[in-house]
Amino acid sequence: MPTSLRSGTIAYRGADGVETGRERFELIAHPGGHILRAMCEIDAPALVRDVTLAMDAAWRPLDGFCRIHLAGRCAAAQWFDVEDGMVRVAGRLEGRSVPEQRIATTGRLPYLGLHPLQGDALITMLRGTDQPGRFLPIAAVTNSVSPNGDEALGTQAMTIDVAFVGETQVTVTAGSFPARRYALRWRADWPPADLWVRADGVFLRMHWAWIEEWYELAAIHG
């Protein structure tokens, strides 16, 4: 049985504050770990992303699934199985089955990046709050290295650098919350993104100088 259930909506906003998309998520805790379910929509490219991610009690991924629809077609549907020393990936890209891919890892993979914003927030549970201001590397596997997660679809290993900046208070549409501020750097040639989360890992806000869009928690329950 779940020990806690938090559900909410994240608003994707343009530079003028107008909503350009949304993400509905459920974050479920149970005696064996955690489950994230997220449905993401971006209006302009007609993108729909359906993600399920299972994690252990330490927030490390066990398995995950991501389906991406673009303009009415299924651009990708991939299943990820995380084992000690390896991630196995199977699925379809652009309507074609692709051979199973095996990505070697050092020990158990800490983080699986499938592009929901609530999923981005959970990398902070792995980073923690020690050594403020210092970027620490977190090994990851992702299905796309692009801002919206809809380009160059496939699977690849990467390293995400994450810094804990400090404690603060953040006001978003969903309310005012004590927050932890982090900086996330996905690529060396990209500026870091500023991310605010609650202590329980719930996403609050993100701003990234690389793009005009910004994101905030619009509603939270539980």
Side-chain angles (χ1 to χ4, degrees), residues 66-152:
C66 180
R67 175 181 282 112
I68 298 173
H69 280 262
L70 278 171
R73 77 181 197 283
C74 182
Q78 293 176 285
W79 175 72
F80 301 79
D81 181 28
V82 182
E83 304 175 359
D84 289 338
M86 182 176 62
V87 178
R88 295 189 298 123
V89 187
R92 300 174 66 84
L93 293 174
E94 297 294 349
R96 299 186 301 275
S97 295
V98 294
E100 181 181 276
Q101 185 177 0
R102 300 189 177 195
I103 300 175
T105 61
T106 302
R108 191 168 195 88
L109 182 76
Y111 181 73
L112 187 58
L114 302 182
H115 285 275
L117 287 168
Q118 180 53 59
D120 289 340
L122 295 182
I123 200 171
T124 67
M125 306 302 284
L126 301 163
R127 169 58 177 85
T129 58
D130 61 322
Q131 304 181 64
R134 182 178 178 183
F135 281 95
L136 298 181
I138 296 179
V141 166
T142 185
N143 56 348
S144 170
V145 183
S146 69
N148 284 338
D150 60 346
E151 299 175 10

Side-chain angles (χ1 to χ4, degrees), residues 194-207:
D194 294 312
L195 169 66
W196 291 261
V197 302
R198 296 197 321 191
D200 61 359
V202 169
F203 177 96
L204 291 174
R205 191 169 73 190
M206 180 186 283
H207 291 263

